[in-house]
Amino acid sequence: MTTIDTHDEIREAVGRLCQDFPGSYWRELDERRAYPTDFVKALTEAGFLSALIPEEFGGSGLPLSAAAVILEEIHRQGGNAGACHAQMYTMGTLLRHGSDAQKQAYLPQIAEGTLRLQSFGVTEPTSGTDTGSLRTTARRDGDVYRINGQKIWISRSEHSDLMILLCRTTPLDQVEKKTQGLSVFLVDMPEAKANGLTIRPIRTMMNHATTELFFDDVPVPAANMIGEEGKGFRYILSGMNAERILIAAECIGDAKWFIDKAAAYAGERVVFGRPIGQNQGLQFPIAKAYARMRAAELMLHEAIRLYEANENPGAEANMAKMLAAEASWEAAEACVQTHGGFGFAEEYDVERKFRETRLYQVAPISTNLILSYLAEHVLGMPRSY
């Protein structure tokens, strides 16, 4: 038994909560491209979004496996945790590297729901996943740093009170490695919007509340720097394994939803006098998707085991994310094919979930970069980029 198998009560509680937010709730939001405020509020009030915050700060002090169960179950029930999952994996940067004063100031309010830490500002238009090449700068000016630059694909920035922001504090030509000279700030979003931050929503194929940010001399208190100046890249990396693991859990939840949906419909739909699920042409893709999901799930459990044992789960976390994203997409394909034309009808929720789960082969890191990582760091092959 792994740690993820010991959270049955949490899984059941999340499942019950999700019953109050059926497919019709998500379809209506999807049509308006609206943020699931009521759902996020319910999760917060139930304590699920403070699962990883230590008890001394008002949270539950649970391990990462509990957070994985929460997010997986949301997706298995047909919902989408994209509106709030960042609070889980950005939390590590503040918990591991924040000062005592920062933790005391923010964590209790995050735990009780009066503050949302939902935004993670790293990606830029010109650098993408080449984080060391980012151009957003933070220049010291007395007791503040002045932020100038641009970020893109920053989700939930319109619905977050706080943002973890990565900037360059030392010019690129003054460091030995491009990953040096980067610093992390905790940004007060309402304050920033009143002092030079512009947010532009980006409409995408799924309802993901993503945006582009423009910083024009935005002042951020020096006291809001997390950790030491110039070491921010390491702080951000420390949370990447948790991010990979939690996204993998969401994909496993999606895959289970698609498989259950497809198997049920195949048993109900009768054509030519027999259930379509009696045909091997429909049985086999669903069964194969199930096998792929289970294999990915086992890799996810291994990544969680290593993470909670304070070992390095880098390879396993990346493989879990890649395999789970591929498994959810294969299950989505099988589900659409099983439903035929009805798979494209909004009322069945298949097309919505189909769009949503496709994201995870691209974000938060693409499959190709995971393969490059494995080739270099596991197989010892030359760096390809």
Side-chain angles (χ1 to χ4, degrees):
M1 177 178 289
T2 63
T3 52
I4 202 168
D5 296 318
T6 63
H7 302 300
D8 289 343
E9 290 185 6
I10 293 176
R11 191 184 298 277
E12 292 171 5
V14 174
R16 288 193 299 271
L17 184 150
C18 289
Q19 296 306 304
D20 294 330
F21 301 91
S24 57
Y25 171 80
W26 296 100
R27 287 195 300 273
E28 194 271 335
L29 290 173
D30 188 64
E31 183 177 351
R32 295 189 292 113
R33 290 296 194 264
Y35 186 77
T37 301
D38 291 341
F39 177 69
V40 174
K41 181 181 179 182
L43 284 176
T44 303
E45 291 176 348
F48 293 127
L49 292 189
S50 60
L52 300 181
I53 297 177
E55 292 183 68
E56 64 185 289
F57 298 113
S60 303
L62 294 172
L64 190 70
S65 54
V69 164
I70 292 168
L71 298 182
E72 178 196 317
E73 191 62 23
I74 291 171
H75 282 248
R76 186 174 189 174
Q77 294 292 329
N80 187 345
C84 52
H85 59 194
Q87 188 150 305
M88 300 285 197
Y89 57 74
T90 58
M91 194 62 63
T93 303
L94 180 57
L95 285 174
R96 295 181 180 184
H97 307 292
S99 66
D100 289 339
Q102 289 169 341
K103 294 176 186 177
Q104 291 288 351
Y106 295 111
L107 289 179
Q109 295 184 73
I110 295 171
E112 68 184 15
T114 54
L115 283 181
R116 286 181 185 169
L117 175 57
Q118 290 289 358
S119 193
F120 191 47
V122 176
T123 307
E124 297 185 0
T126 57
S127 59
T129 49
D130 183 8
T131 304
S133 297
L134 63 80
R135 298 179 181 180
T136 297
T137 60
R139 174 179 54 85
R140 184 69 182 254
D141 181 15
D143 293 335
V144 303
Y145 282 82
R146 297 200 174 273
I147 313 296
N148 286 279
Q150 182 180 358
K151 298 288 183 179
I152 199 169
W153 308 122
I154 311 304
S155 299
R156 300 162 300 275
S157 62
E158 296 177 292
H159 307 281
S160 184
D161 300 297
L162 299 168
M163 175 172 60
I164 299 289
L165 178 68
L166 185 66
C167 301
R168 180 161 291 286
T169 45
T170 303
L172 188 58
D173 59 6
Q174 295 179 23
V175 295
E176 293 181 4
K177 297 181 179 179
K178 63 183 181 180
T179 53
Q180 297 173 339
L182 300 171
S183 301
V184 176
F185 296 88
L186 193 59
V187 178
D188 182 315
M189 293 298 281
E191 186 72 19
K193 285 186 282 187
N195 291 278
L197 172 61
T198 301
I199 301 177
R200 185 177 70 84
I202 302 174
R203 190 175 176 88
T204 63
M205 67 184 286
M206 75 289 293
N207 182 25
H208 205 69
T210 197
T211 64
E212 189 171 16
L213 308 181
F214 300 88
F215 295 86
D216 184 10
D217 228 26
V218 176
V220 175
N224 282 30
M225 177 182 284
I226 294 179
E228 297 181 46
E229 182 175 309
K231 297 185 178 180
F233 184 76
R234 177 167 61 86
Y235 302 153
I236 292 294
L237 277 185
S238 70
M240 292 297 186
N241 287 332
E243 177 189 55
R244 309 282 192 266
I245 287 170
L246 294 177
I247 294 299
E250 292 183 3
C251 290
I252 293 298
D254 277 346
K256 290 179 178 179
W257 185 90
F258 283 119
I259 290 164
D260 290 346
K261 192 88 168 177
Y265 186 78
E268 298 166 358
R269 175 68 165 163
V270 175
V271 178
F272 298 115
R274 55 191 262 164
I276 60 173
Q278 192 172 341
N279 301 310
Q280 290 180 345
L282 280 174
Q283 282 185 357
F284 287 3
I286 300 172
K288 185 178 179 182
Y290 175 80
R292 292 281 294 272
M293 178 276 293
R294 287 290 289 127
E297 187 175 39
L298 292 174
M299 180 58 74
L300 170 61
H301 289 187
E302 174 64 5
I304 290 173
R305 184 189 69 79
L306 292 170
Y307 186 96
E308 293 185 346
N310 291 319
E311 298 181 36
N312 179 15
E316 289 77 11
N318 275 285
M319 287 189 288
K321 188 270 178 185
M322 180 185 73
L323 295 172
E326 292 177 343
S328 69
W329 183 242
E330 182 170 345
E333 289 273 12
C335 190
V336 169
Q337 200 67 22
T338 300
H339 282 76
F342 291 108
F344 298 92
E346 291 181 352
E347 64 182 287
Y348 282 77
D349 291 310
V350 175
E351 63 87 27
R352 172 179 60 83
K353 294 285 286 181
F354 184 87
R355 287 183 281 113
E356 291 172 353
T357 206
R358 181 59 180 87
L359 171 66
Y360 294 119
Q361 291 189 66
V362 174
I365 186 171
S366 75
T367 296
N368 286 343
L369 279 173
I370 290 177
L371 293 172
S372 295
Y373 172 90
L374 295 174
E376 178 185 0
H377 296 283
V378 178
L379 302 179
M381 301 172 72
R383 186 182 179 95
S384 62
Y385 57 93

